[in-house]
């Protein structure tokens, strides 16, 4: 199995077919007989090339008349090779170059000469590269983002904060796991993971988190299989505790898949009360059910529900409601770098009415004095603070409750009491607001 060729094929599927990088990568790595070392290289090339696509295309654009006219396979062979030469210290230039030329021969002799010529010229003239355009184009080259996204972030956050935010979006995410408090003690799991040879440390922001810096994949680990731990980003781990869950509560999770927050709620309830986990897609509910079984949680019912349509059965039903609404995902670019390239400005605007319909319905489902938590994994304020402002002006029985979860440098406590989490090497970008129904 040629690692670089497989990486290029995965990248091509993501960019051309709209496949999800994490799903294609995991399918390919599990279905082929690949060594751990090669798995590491393939993962690095796939995520790195997708993350840095804009930078790579500007580089390639220095050596061709019009990159838009290039054959997609050849373009992706070049992206993969230049990513390794430009960003990876451990890969020798000649190895990346030779493999790219050999792979291009499978397209045509002419293609291999083109690839060879571009790569040789790039290695020779790396310092002479030209970045055409203005300040935004320079930032697009440096941080590898679409110019409209950079303009949006600067308008919403100012340039200084945007630079920090964009650097955070290019960090390589660590794996973090959440301890299942119904089955295990934190210290016991921590010691066990160390014994197993994992390089670990305590979580960055969450008391139930362990950060894994090195070691084998966690999904085949016996602690995972026995339901003692769940893989979850620390930003998402902060959400369920904000519901102030009490034993016996009825909790609705309206957009539950893939179920990380649902299972966290169930764990906090210590298998009491009732959690109703809803999602629009039936096939996604089976994922939640598998996790519930693994974690030994029996207080959750899963069902299909369109959160944008009011279901009268659940009016004034719940003590707590969580809406982790469908969003543009701009905060999780670290994990899904293709979001940089497959989102448009219009798509962001189109999400807002959907989010507001879900907010309206969630409010109907909540009992008086109940708590609603609204969260997104985006950094776009139109989907975040602006939705909260709209909601508070519409519902006079809604009162925002100030969130405080520590003084980490990437936490922005907004004037309205909500929290924005900037991405860094430990956490995804996230937004969360807590609203109480006063009557």
């Amino acid at each position: 199995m040629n690692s670089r060729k497989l990486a290029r094929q995965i990248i091509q599927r993501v960019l051309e077919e709209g496949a999800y990088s994490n799903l294609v990568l995991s399918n390919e790595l599990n279905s082929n007989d690949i060594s751990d070392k090669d798995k590491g290289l393939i993962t690095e090339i796939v995520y790195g090339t997708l993350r840095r696509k804009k930078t790579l295309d500007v580089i390639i654009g220095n050596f061709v008349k019009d990159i838009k006219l290039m054959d997609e396979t050849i373009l992706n062979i070049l992206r993969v090779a230049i990513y390794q030469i430009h960003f990876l210290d451990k890969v020798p230039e000649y190895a990346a170059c030779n493999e790219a030329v050999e792979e291009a021969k499978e397209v045509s002799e002419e293609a291999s000469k083109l690839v060879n010529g571009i790569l040789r010229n790039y290695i020779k003239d790396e310092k002479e590269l030209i970045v055409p355009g203005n300040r935004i184009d320079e930032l697009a080259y440096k941080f590898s983002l679409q110019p409209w996204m950079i303009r949006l972030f600067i308008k919403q956050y100012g340039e200084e904060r945007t630079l920090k935010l964009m650097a955070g979006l290019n960090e390589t995410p660590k794996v973090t796991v959440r301890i299942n408090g119904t089955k295990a003690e934190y210290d016991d799991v921590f010691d066990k993971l160390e014994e197993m040879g994992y390089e670990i440390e305590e979580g960055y922001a969450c008391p139930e988190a362990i950060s894994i810096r090195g070691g084998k994949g966690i999904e085949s680990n016996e602690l995972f299989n026995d339901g003692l731990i769940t893989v979850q980003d620390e930003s998402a781990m902060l959400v369920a505790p904000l519901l102030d869950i009490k034993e016996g509560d009825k909790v609705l999770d309206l957009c539950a898949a893939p179920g990380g927050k649902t299972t966290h709620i169930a764990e906090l309830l210590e298998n009491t009360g009732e959690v109703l986990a809803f999602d629009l897609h039936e096939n996604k509910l089976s994922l939640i059910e598998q996790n519930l079984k693994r974690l030994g949680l029996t207080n959750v019912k899963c069902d299909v529900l369109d959160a944008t349509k009011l279901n009268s059965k659940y009016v004034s039903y719940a003590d707590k409601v969580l809406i982790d609404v469908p969003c543009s995902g701009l905060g999780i670019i670290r994990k899904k770098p293709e979001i940089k390239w497959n989102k448009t400005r219009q798509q962001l605007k189109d999400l807002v009415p959907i989010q507001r319909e879900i907010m309206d319905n969630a409010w109907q489902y909540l009992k008086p004095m109940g708590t609603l938590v609204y969260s997104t994994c985006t950094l776009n304020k139109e989907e975040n603070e602006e939705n909260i402002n709209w909601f508070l002006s519409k519902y006079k029985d809604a009162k925002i409750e100030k969130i405080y979860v520590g003084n980490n440098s990437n936490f922005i406590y907004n004037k309205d009491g909500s929290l924005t989490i900037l991405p860094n090497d430990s956490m995804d970008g996230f937004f969360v607001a807590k609203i109480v129904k006063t009557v």
Side-chain angles (χ1 to χ4, degrees), residues 12 54 75 161 174 190 205 278 298 358 394 400 419:
Q12 204 142 328
K54 176 74 176 171
L75 181 53
R161 209 165 243 173
K174 292 181 223 148
F190 196 95
F278 295 119
T298 54
I358 294 171
K394 181 171 179 178
I400 198 157
L419 168 68

Side-chain angles (χ1 to χ4, degrees), residues 325-337:
V325 296
C327 72
S328 55
L330 301 186
I332 54 168
I333 282 171
R334 295 184 321 149
K335 294 200 178 84
K336 296 180 179 174

Side-chain angles (χ1 to χ4, degrees), residues 8 14 29 42 67 104 140 153 203 205 237 247 280 311 356 403 423:
R8 193 268 306 159
V14 171
L29 295 186
I42 292 164
I67 194 170
F153 287 143
M237 268 182 229
E247 202 174 302
L280 184 56
N311 185 326
R356 292 183 179 184
I403 290 171

Side-chain angles (χ1 to χ4, degrees), residues 158-180:
E159 186 162 329
E160 190 184 337
R161 209 165 243 173
T162 294
L163 293 174
K164 193 174 164 185
L165 183 161
M166 292 191 296
L169 290 176
N170 284 327
E171 290 282 0
T172 302
K174 292 181 223 148
V175 174
T176 49
V177 295
R178 185 187 81 227
I179 308 303
N180 178 2

Side-chain angles (χ1 to χ4, degrees), residues 87-356:
F87 290 103
L88 298 186
D89 298 334
K90 291 178 187 167
V91 176
E93 286 177 355
Y94 69 84
C97 194
N98 290 350
E99 288 223 14
V101 171
E102 286 305 308
E103 198 186 338
K105 276 182 187 166
E106 294 173 21
V107 178
S108 70
E109 197 61 43
E110 196 182 321
S112 77
K113 284 177 184 163
L114 175 69
V115 167
N116 188 40
I118 289 173
L119 293 178
R120 301 267 175 233
N121 283 330
Y122 165 64
I123 291 165
K124 196 171 80 210
D125 300 332
E126 196 177 337
K127 304 280 185 290
E128 311 297 318
L129 287 173
I130 296 163
V131 180
N134 56 22
R135 167 78 175 145
I136 297 288
D137 294 311
E138 283 171 22
L139 292 173
Y141 171 73
K142 183 179 178 183
F143 293 102
S144 205
L145 278 164
Q146 292 189 64
W148 72 260
M149 266 186 205
I150 298 172
R151 286 193 293 272
L152 178 83
F153 287 143
I154 290 174
K155 186 181 167 194
Q156 294 186 354
Y157 290 92
E159 186 162 329
E160 190 184 337
R161 209 165 243 173
T162 294
L163 293 174
K164 193 174 164 185
L165 183 161
M166 292 191 296
L169 290 176
N170 284 327
E171 290 282 0
T172 302
K174 292 181 223 148
V175 174
T176 49
V177 295
R178 185 187 81 227
I179 308 303
N180 178 2
T182 68
K183 278 197 169 192
E185 294 293 327
Y186 185 96
D187 291 347
D188 295 342
V189 174
F190 196 95
D191 294 345
K192 208 91 173 256
L193 283 169
E194 275 193 325
E195 280 167 30
M196 291 171 164
Y198 288 91
E199 196 186 317
I200 57 172
E201 61 190 25
E202 288 180 13
Y204 169 81
C206 300
E208 59 272 72
I210 294 175
S211 176
I212 299 176
R213 289 187 168 276
K216 285 199 177 81
I218 205 79
E219 270 86 354
S220 53
N221 178 295
E222 67 185 67
L223 298 178
F224 178 84
N225 291 332
D226 294 343
L228 275 58
I229 54 175
T230 294
V231 177
Q232 190 179 33
D233 190 84
E234 284 200 58
S235 290
M237 268 182 229
L238 287 171
V239 175
L242 291 172
L243 286 162
D244 295 331
I245 284 163
K246 293 177 183 62
E247 202 174 302
D249 272 349
K250 285 182 176 179
V251 186
L252 301 191
D253 184 352
L254 295 190
C255 314
K261 298 178 195 71
T262 308
T263 54
H264 197 184
I265 291 165
E267 287 167 15
L268 292 170
L269 277 166
E270 297 186 329
N271 260 335
T272 69
E274 178 185 51
V275 185
L276 298 183
F278 295 119
D279 204 83
L280 184 56
H281 305 286
E282 190 166 3
N283 58 327
K284 288 185 177 177
L285 293 173
S286 59
L287 277 174
I288 303 175
E289 281 163 350
Q290 282 166 23
N291 269 320
L292 292 167
K293 198 173 171 188
R294 182 178 62 80
L295 295 163
L297 299 168
T298 54
N299 56 342
V300 183
K301 291 184 190 133
C302 298
D303 207 353
V304 176
L305 179 102
D306 181 349
T308 65
K309 309 272 189 294
L310 186 72
N311 185 326
S312 57
K313 186 176 165 185
Y314 300 110
V315 170
S316 301
Y317 184 90
D319 300 292
K320 312 283 160 67
V321 178
L322 169 62
I323 43 172
D324 186 55
V325 296
C327 72
S328 55
L330 301 186
I332 54 168
I333 282 171
R334 295 184 321 149
K335 294 200 178 84
K336 296 180 179 174
E338 65 271 19
I339 288 171
K340 287 181 174 190
W341 320 118
N342 66 18
K343 284 283 177 275
T344 65
R345 185 73 185 90
Q346 190 55 47
Q347 283 173 318
L348 270 61
K349 290 181 186 301
D350 292 345
L351 281 162
V352 172
I354 296 164
Q355 292 158 346
R356 292 183 179 184

